[in-house]
Amino acid sequence: MYRAFVTNLEKCVVFEHSFIDSRPKTFCSTVLYFCFDKPNVLFPGVNMSNSVNISVETTCENQIREIGYDGTELYQPPPTLSESLAKCAARIDFSKTSLDDLKKEEKTAAAAAEEDKDATQFQESLWPWDAVRNKLKDALTEICVLSDVISIAKDKRYLVLDPLLEEADDTKPIVQVYSRKKAISQAAQVLLGGAERLRNAHSEQRNRNVSDFHIELLRLRQNWRLKKVSNAIIGDLSYRTAGSKFGMSGTFEVTKAEETGDEDTASSSNSSSSTSGNNGMQLKASSALRVIVPAELQGVAYIKVITQKDQEDLCTAQVNLMGHGPNITAQVGVWQKTLEFAQNVLFCKELFAQLAREAIQLQAPIPHVVIGNQIRATLLPNIQLIISLCHSTTFDSSQPAPINDHDHVLEHSLHQLLREVHYKNSHHPFPHPASAPLGPTKKRMLAGPMAADRETLLDMTKSQTILEQIIAQAQHIFMRKRTQYVLDTLARDVKDPQIVSHWNAMNSPTMSCVKINIVTHGYDAIGRTSLVIHVKERSLKCICRDGRVMRLSYEPQELRDLILCQINSHQISCLISLARCMAWTVLSNSNHLGVGKVEPLGNASSCLLASPNSDRMIAVQIRCDPQIDVKVYIARSPRQDFFPSPLVPEKLWENLGGTFKEVRFDKIEGKSFLNKMEFLMASLTSNSA
């Protein structure tokens, strides 16, 4: 252990090299003192018999570092105290102390101790606690020394520990360049050798005609779950890890293909690849693996969903796993297609079993029927939803014709709903707080603190099964198609005014939104009629421009009647706006005319207009019978052919108005109702002027 004591840096610097002797509380020390004063005065009580005094002298002049062109000499600055101390300490060689000298010192110290012991035996102790005092004094001295060492090492005011400066070897830069060049060349040779070996291995693997069993097994393991049971390799096709609880086994066995059977498989695969391709890529001719799939999972399966009305298919969807995700059959091997078909069969059987179980448990107004591999559910009157499981163990070369009216939303919903069931089986909500029981959701946990009512609690407990959601989506699909048909039919049949439908692109599976604008070509600035229709599962919600809300059933005639009534009111409102623009006076108007025969649909609308001079009047009547029927009447006052009579002797009484005469409205020039009325009002205004 090395300890440094610096008490007076100007007078003395002491280095002490000490080691602990085997005897307790005894130190054997070899002390080297650099002193300029009496050491006994500086260190009282320290035995200086074994110390050596060395005088340290400094050079009178400093070394010349540089001589300038003008003869100026630049001296090297004198070293600091820490540098001088480090240089002196580096020159001390502690290995020169021999073992014999240490033994002599131990013998001398032991003899001195015996003499002191003999001397103390003849001297009586002046104080009985003298020995304890000496022990405590020694302990206090050691503690003080330890405190001084810690304070010096911590403060770093008196002593700084610098590393020893070794004299650097004079190395030339060219030597370092050559050494680095040699090291880099060796590393390059190692890398080039490894790259060459990898290139050779890759070329050998590419040139081999027979595939490697272990490489095929590695590719199989990258895409499917495998485990080794005894001497066999077993794989799993089921969705148990995703949360499925379907009981059918989805295990398959992986074996090494025999050499005798390789030729047969190669020929069969070649024939199959020559007849049919997979997205323009041919599969591998042979494989070192053979996959054994259970008999119940062999073949091709899909679920067919049909919305049928009176033996007529309205909507059709086929559900399977084929065609989803990246096609990796050509990259991995022929076994990939076999496993994909088997997993597709398992998926379809699980989905159909779940739907059949729910169809039996649900209590519908019209019970659902499950017969064999077919489920029948009633959507609307005379409209049925048929879900069939089609499973064929043989590959038929004559594939069925593609479905023209395939509903991708319904297909995606079936996939998504089954995966949602798997997710709920494996992901349970965490209890809130942690001491609460498992099962209730966070909303139900907060129902008490939030003071939820009974209706809210009942809504939390309600949940729809897969079949209920599919039925609701099928009903909505049918209602949307029926609404589209009604709007398209009216837009085709009714030329004046024009019916424009804007379907919202972002819809939910059970609700769609359509905005209907009724405008007249050339007069869209005068007025337009807008309404929004929300298409739900079994009903329609119509929101008019004035804020009225009307709820319609699933019958298409109700929607047709509503659109015709909106057309009727649109014509009257636009006619009133046009008459005001042409300075005609609106005497009266009514959307619910109670005069004449009873209308089979809605109510008749009427409007009475007067010319600017009030000598002409136009009466307009619009009925839905069942098409738009427009009748226009004209009256003049006074009449031109006036004949006095005993009741009306004077002509001024004829200004009250004459009889109305019907106008052959279809003979008037104009493309639309408003255009004809504009021509009619213009002609009557010019005649009166």
Side-chain angles (χ1 to χ4, degrees):
M1 180 179 65
Y2 295 92
R3 294 185 296 177
F5 308 94
V6 180
T7 58
N8 193 345
L9 190 58
E10 297 178 355
K11 295 182 180 181
C12 173
V13 179
V14 181
F15 278 90
E16 179 181 359
H17 173 232
S18 64
F19 58 90
I20 300 176
D21 194 15
S22 60
R23 294 172 294 177
K25 303 299 180 179
T26 304
F27 295 88
C28 297
S29 306
T30 302
V31 185
L32 176 63
Y33 295 92
F34 301 88
C35 302
F36 301 97
D37 205 347
K38 294 180 180 181
N40 293 331
V41 177
L42 293 175
F43 299 92
V46 179
N47 188 7
M48 293 298 179
S49 60
N50 297 329
S51 61
V52 179
N53 296 331
I54 300 175
S55 62
V56 179
E57 298 179 358
T58 60
T59 58
C60 296
E61 295 181 358
N62 296 327
Q63 295 180 358
I64 298 175
R65 185 180 65 182
E66 184 181 356
I67 299 176
Y69 292 104
D70 56 351
T72 305
E73 296 180 354
L74 299 177
Y75 294 94
Q76 187 175 0
T80 60
L81 293 177
S82 61
E83 293 176 355
S84 301
L85 180 60
K87 189 174 182 181
C88 293
R91 296 176 180 177
I92 300 174
D93 189 4
F94 295 96
S95 62
K96 292 181 179 180
T97 304
S98 61
L99 186 60
D100 297 336
D101 297 338
L102 295 177
K103 291 182 179 180
K104 290 179 181 180
E105 290 180 1
E106 290 180 1
K107 292 179 181 179
T108 305
E114 290 179 358
E115 291 177 359
D116 295 341
K117 185 176 181 181
D118 295 338
T120 55
Q121 287 178 357
F122 294 101
Q123 294 180 0
E124 295 181 359
S125 178
L126 301 178
W127 189 44
W129 298 97
D130 192 11
V132 177
R133 184 191 66 179
N134 294 334
K135 298 288 185 180
L136 293 175
K137 185 177 180 181
D138 295 339
L140 180 60
T141 303
E142 294 180 3
I143 292 174
C144 292
V145 170
L146 180 61
S147 176
D148 294 339
V149 172
I150 293 175
S151 62
I152 290 172
K154 181 180 179 182
D155 295 342
K156 296 182 181 180
R157 288 187 300 174
Y158 307 105
L159 183 64
V160 178
L161 303 177
D162 293 336
L164 298 179
L165 299 177
E166 298 180 356
E167 295 181 359
D169 299 335
D170 295 337
T171 57
K172 298 181 179 180
I174 192 64
V175 177
Q176 295 181 356
V177 171
Y178 281 128
S179 62
R180 292 178 181 176
K181 184 177 180 181
K182 185 177 180 181
I184 292 173
S185 63
Q186 292 178 357
Q189 290 178 1
V190 173
L191 293 176
L192 289 175
E196 186 65 25
R197 288 194 298 270
L198 288 175
R199 190 181 297 109
N200 295 336
H202 185 68
S203 61
E204 290 178 1
Q205 181 180 357
R206 182 182 297 177
N207 296 330
R208 281 186 303 181
N209 296 327
V210 182
S211 58
D212 190 4
F213 171 75
H214 297 284
I215 295 177
E216 292 285 333
L217 186 62
L218 176 61
R219 293 175 180 174
L220 179 64
R221 190 176 180 183
Q222 291 175 352
N223 297 281
W224 305 92
R225 295 193 305 272
L226 299 177
K227 64 179 179 179
K228 188 174 182 180
V229 179
S230 183
N231 294 329
I233 301 176
I234 305 299
D236 190 9
L237 296 171
S238 65
Y239 296 93
R240 290 190 179 90
T241 56
S244 175
K245 295 183 179 180
F246 191 51
M248 181 177 290
S249 175
T251 59
F252 63 93
E253 185 178 357
V254 180
T255 59
K256 188 175 182 180
E258 299 178 358
E259 297 180 358
T260 57
D262 287 343
E263 299 178 356
D264 299 337
T265 56
S267 60
S268 62
S269 60
N270 287 330
S271 61
S272 62
S273 62
S274 61
T275 54
S276 61
N278 188 2
N279 293 334
M281 297 181 296
Q282 292 184 355
L283 301 178
K284 292 184 178 181
S286 62
S287 176
L289 290 180
R290 188 177 64 177
V291 177
I292 302 175
V293 180
E296 60 270 11
L297 297 181
Q298 294 179 359
V300 181
Y302 61 92
I303 291 181
K304 190 174 183 180
V305 183
I306 302 174
T307 304
Q308 195 177 65
K309 177 184 179 182
D310 297 334
Q311 305 300 324
E312 180 184 358
D313 297 343
L314 301 179
C315 177
T316 307
Q318 287 186 0
V319 182
N320 54 22
L321 290 179
M322 308 310 298
H324 296 274
N327 188 4
I328 59 175
T329 305
Q331 288 81 3
V332 294
V334 294
W335 41 263
Q336 178 70 20
K337 193 171 184 179
T338 304
L339 295 179
E340 286 180 354
F341 276 109
Q343 193 176 42
N344 173 53
V345 173
L346 183 64
F347 174 81
C348 293
K349 287 190 175 183
E350 180 179 359
L351 179 58
F352 186 81
Q354 180 73 16
L355 294 175
R357 188 185 311 111
E358 294 173 357
I360 296 174
Q361 294 176 355
L362 290 177
Q363 296 180 358
I366 301 177
H368 306 310
V369 180
V370 180
I371 302 176
N373 291 338
Q374 192 177 80
I375 302 174
R376 287 180 173 267
T378 302
L379 301 179
L380 296 171
N382 299 328
I383 300 174
Q384 287 187 343
L385 176 69
I386 302 175
I387 303 175
S388 305
L389 173 62
C390 304
H391 183 201
S392 176
T393 56
T394 59
F395 293 93
D396 191 4
S397 58
S398 59
Q399 297 181 356
I403 302 174
N404 296 327
D405 195 9
H406 180 72
D407 198 316
H408 297 278
V409 177
L410 193 60
E411 176 188 356
H412 178 267
S413 298
L414 283 170
H415 284 273
Q416 185 180 11
L417 292 175
L418 183 58
R419 281 170 172 77
E420 186 177 353
V421 172
H422 292 169
Y423 182 83
K424 289 181 179 179
N425 292 336
S426 58
H427 295 76
H428 300 284
F430 291 101
H432 298 278
S435 59
L438 290 173
T441 60
K442 187 177 181 180
K443 291 183 179 180
R444 293 183 61 186
M445 292 293 182
L446 296 176
M450 299 300 293
D453 54 357
R454 183 174 181 272
E455 184 177 358
T456 305
L457 290 174
L458 291 176
D459 293 339
M460 292 180 185
T461 57
K462 292 180 180 179
S463 61
Q464 288 185 332
T465 61
I466 296 179
L467 184 60
E468 289 178 335
Q469 297 181 50
I470 291 300
I471 290 175
Q473 293 183 20
Q475 289 174 345
H476 170 71
I477 291 172
F478 177 75
M479 290 294 297
R480 186 176 67 242
K481 289 182 177 295
R482 177 176 283 181
T483 304
Q484 292 175 353
Y485 176 76
V486 171
L487 294 178
D488 294 343
T489 304
L490 286 175
R492 181 194 62 191
D493 297 340
V494 180
K495 304 298 183 180
D496 178 37
Q498 297 177 350
I499 302 175
V500 183
S501 302
H502 298 279
W503 286 89
N504 193 1
M506 303 298 293
N507 299 317
S508 67
T510 56
M511 191 181 77
S512 301
C513 181
V514 56
K515 182 179 181 181
I516 301 174
N517 292 325
I518 303 175
V519 295
T520 302
H521 180 67
Y523 297 89
D524 50 353
I526 294 178
R528 65 173 58 195
T529 302
S530 302
L531 67 153
V532 178
I533 299 178
H534 293 170
V535 183
K536 298 183 179 181
E537 301 168 8
R538 296 175 60 92
S539 61
L540 300 176
K541 180 180 179 181
C542 301
I543 304 175
C544 299
R545 189 175 183 179
D546 54 358
R548 293 180 299 167
V549 178
M550 291 170 282
R551 302 182 184 275
L552 309 179
S553 65
Y554 52 83
E555 292 294 339
Q557 188 62 35
E558 296 184 9
L559 178 61
R560 183 182 179 87
D561 297 346
L562 175 65
I563 300 299
L564 291 177
C565 292
Q566 291 295 319
I567 292 174
N568 194 351
S569 62
H570 167 77
Q571 299 284 47
I572 294 297
S573 61
C574 291
L575 178 60
I576 293 174
S577 300
L578 180 62
R580 290 172 179 173
C581 292
M582 299 183 68
W584 280 62
T585 304
V586 180
L587 299 179
S588 65
N589 69 301
S590 175
N591 290 328
H592 307 284
L593 185 62
V595 179
K597 63 180 181 178
V598 179
E599 296 82 5
L601 176 61
N603 295 323
S605 301
S606 64
C607 179
L608 187 61
L609 307 176
S611 63
N613 295 332
S614 299
D615 58 346
R616 300 288 189 274
M617 287 190 299
I618 299 177
V620 181
Q621 183 180 7
I622 302 177
R623 295 175 178 270
C624 299
D625 192 21
Q627 298 294 331
I628 303 298
D629 184 18
V630 179
K631 292 183 178 181
V632 180
Y633 301 90
I634 297 177
R636 296 181 180 182
S637 60
R639 292 184 301 176
Q640 299 296 332
D641 50 349
F642 173 73
F643 299 98
S645 62
L647 296 178
V648 185
E650 298 180 0
K651 188 177 181 180
L652 59 91
W653 296 105
E654 292 296 329
N655 293 326
L656 295 177
T659 59
F660 284 91
K661 297 181 180 180
E662 185 177 358
V663 179
R664 298 179 63 180
F665 194 70
D666 54 342
K667 300 297 183 179
I668 300 178
E669 296 290 335
K671 295 181 179 181
S672 62
F673 168 74
L674 294 181
N675 196 4
K676 293 181 179 181
M677 291 301 300
E678 183 181 5
F679 288 158
L680 181 61
M681 287 187 289
S683 62
L684 294 178
T685 303
S686 60
N687 290 334
S688 61

